[in-house]
Amino acid sequence: MHDRLDAVLADAVPRVCSAAVALIAVNGSVAAASAAGELVRYAAADGTLAAQRPPARRDSIFDLASVSKLFTTAVLLRLAEEGRLDLDEPVARHVPASDGRITPRHLLTHTAGLPATRRIDRELPDADADTRMAAMLETPVVHPVGGPYLYSDVGMVMAGRVAELAGGAPLDVLVRTRVTEVLGLADTGYRPASPARVAATEWKSERPGPGCVRGEVHDETAYALGGVAGHAGVFATAGDVLAFGEALRRGGGPMLSGRSVAEMTRDQGAEGAPFRHGLGVRLGDPSTVGPLDGAYGHSGFTGTSLVVDPVRRLTVVLLTNAVHPVRGRDGIRELRHAVAAEALRAADLHL
């Protein structure tokens, strides 16, 4: 199995991404693992090679991008278990500037009617993170509340702020105390202390250089909000993401109750989505799960994904930096599908 997964990554690196790490677990045991490529391959957008190109390893750290949304979701569900919020109460209870019709459930199912994104860094180029966050929370509803589905980073930024106000702590602290410390995820969190093990992402002329972004969040809105936001900003190793996915597959403990995980992975009836939607997770998203129909999880813009298939007892992690040195490279969907196909093979072998 390892040789087959090695071949899948070798076919994609550096064509699709300069670094990739994949892990496949069957019934809690790693059945296949592979790492390929270089954490930093390019020095600039024109493809100039970097002077130093450290190899990717299984313990390399990647910018998870929107896979971060699963960590925000876990925090909100934990706070609901603690009685600090209700998924069906008005968000305005915690964020007075928000539309009184919106609930946390709307935010987690992308049915709050909020726009997909908002480049607050461009709107308020000279403002600090707090001022920008206040403006994000005042974003007006532009579509019907309750659906149809409209994927919204703005909504998940609001979800993260709801968690902070309900939990009485910054989001990075809540993720640490409710998720990473509970699960023993030593290499997961916002704003890595050192870039040494981190895969580089995009070359951005507006960021302090030299070279491509490394060790700070790729997403422009999260960066403008100080690096910590509900929709993006978490960095992690593949092993830590696997442990997080395994906790969900096994029913949540010790992070969440089985009841919360069941609600998280239940079809919430979000109309108009190209897949079924749970709370924060996509159910059977064809772009990510490939042949693992019925699996759930999330993908990230940087080229990351977590897929959990409870029926087949599978957890599948793919971490890449497909935006290095520029976004828009082809092949990440096919790579995700190829890794999922190897996971299906591994599940069949372990029957």
Side-chain angles (χ1 to χ4, degrees):
M1 282 300 303
H2 295 279
D3 290 344
R4 293 186 62 90
L5 192 59
D6 285 345
V8 168
L9 296 194
D11 180 61
V13 175
R15 175 176 52 86
V16 177
C17 52
S18 69
V21 180
L23 291 178
I24 297 169
V26 183
N27 200 27
S29 297
V30 174
S34 185
E38 301 155 328
L39 295 181
V40 183
R41 180 173 174 82
Y42 303 103
D46 63 5
T48 301
L49 294 177
Q52 296 184 336
R53 291 149 56 184
R57 303 168 14 141
R58 277 186 59 174
D59 66 349
S60 295
I61 295 171
F62 289 77
D63 181 339
L64 299 186
S66 284
V67 176
S68 304
K69 292 176 170 69
L70 299 182
F71 290 82
T72 303
T73 300
V75 166
L76 281 170
L77 291 174
R78 181 62 186 175
L79 293 175
E81 290 180 7
E82 296 171 8
R84 295 173 179 262
L85 61 82
D86 189 295
L87 295 177
D88 296 305
E89 69 186 4
V91 166
R93 174 185 170 189
H94 306 282
V95 183
S98 64
D99 190 300
R101 298 170 292 170
I102 298 174
T103 67
R105 190 180 302 274
H106 289 138
L107 298 176
L108 295 178
T109 55
H110 298 276
T111 58
L114 290 165
T117 188
R118 185 173 175 186
R119 287 297 302 273
I120 203 67
D121 55 323
R122 293 175 178 171
E123 291 181 38
L124 301 173
D126 300 319
D128 59 20
D130 290 342
T131 301
R132 288 168 170 168
M133 175 60 79
M136 291 290 290
L137 299 178
E138 294 175 353
T139 303
V141 167
V142 293
H143 299 280
V145 175
Y149 168 89
L150 176 62
Y151 186 71
S152 174
D153 280 347
V154 176
M156 288 304 299
V157 169
M158 186 176 291
R161 185 57 179 151
V162 169
E164 291 183 329
L165 294 170
L171 183 59
D172 55 341
V173 174
L174 294 173
V175 168
R176 185 175 73 245
T177 58
R178 299 317 198 275
V179 180
T180 63
E181 287 182 350
V182 173
L183 297 180
L185 310 183
D187 291 317
T188 300
Y190 296 89
R191 296 183 294 209
S194 167
R197 290 164 53 200
V198 181
T201 55
E202 194 170 3
W203 185 83
K204 292 178 176 290
S205 60
E206 72 275 15
R207 299 275 187 100
C212 295
V213 172
R214 190 181 185 201
E216 61 184 29
V217 63
H218 170 268
D219 182 89
E220 295 89 354
T221 301
Y223 181 76
L225 295 174
V228 179
H231 72 299
V234 176
F235 289 73
T237 60
D240 276 7
V241 178
L242 185 76
F244 176 79
E246 277 290 292
L248 295 176
R249 185 186 68 81
R250 291 174 168 174
M255 175 177 63
L256 293 170
S257 69
R259 182 177 180 181
S260 289
V261 174
E263 184 65 11
M264 179 182 183
T265 57
R266 179 180 69 84
D267 183 358
Q268 299 288 319
E271 297 181 1
F275 39 74
R276 293 168 294 120
H277 212 289
L279 295 176
V281 297
R282 298 175 173 187
L283 314 176
D285 177 3
S287 71
T288 305
V289 304
L292 301 177
D293 52 332
Y296 64 84
H298 215 290
S299 59
F301 185 76
T302 50
T304 58
S305 55
L306 167 63
V307 174
V308 179
D309 189 333
V311 174
R312 296 183 178 94
R313 301 172 300 163
L314 282 171
T315 301
V316 186
V317 176
L318 175 64
L319 302 185
T320 83
N321 59 344
V323 295
H324 178 58
V326 293
R327 65 185 69 190
R329 300 173 72 179
D330 293 329
I332 187 62
R333 179 187 178 111
E334 291 74 18
L335 177 56
R336 287 172 176 146
H337 286 191
V339 173
E342 289 306 310
L344 181 59
R345 185 185 302 273
D348 291 340
L349 290 174
H350 287 76
L351 287 176

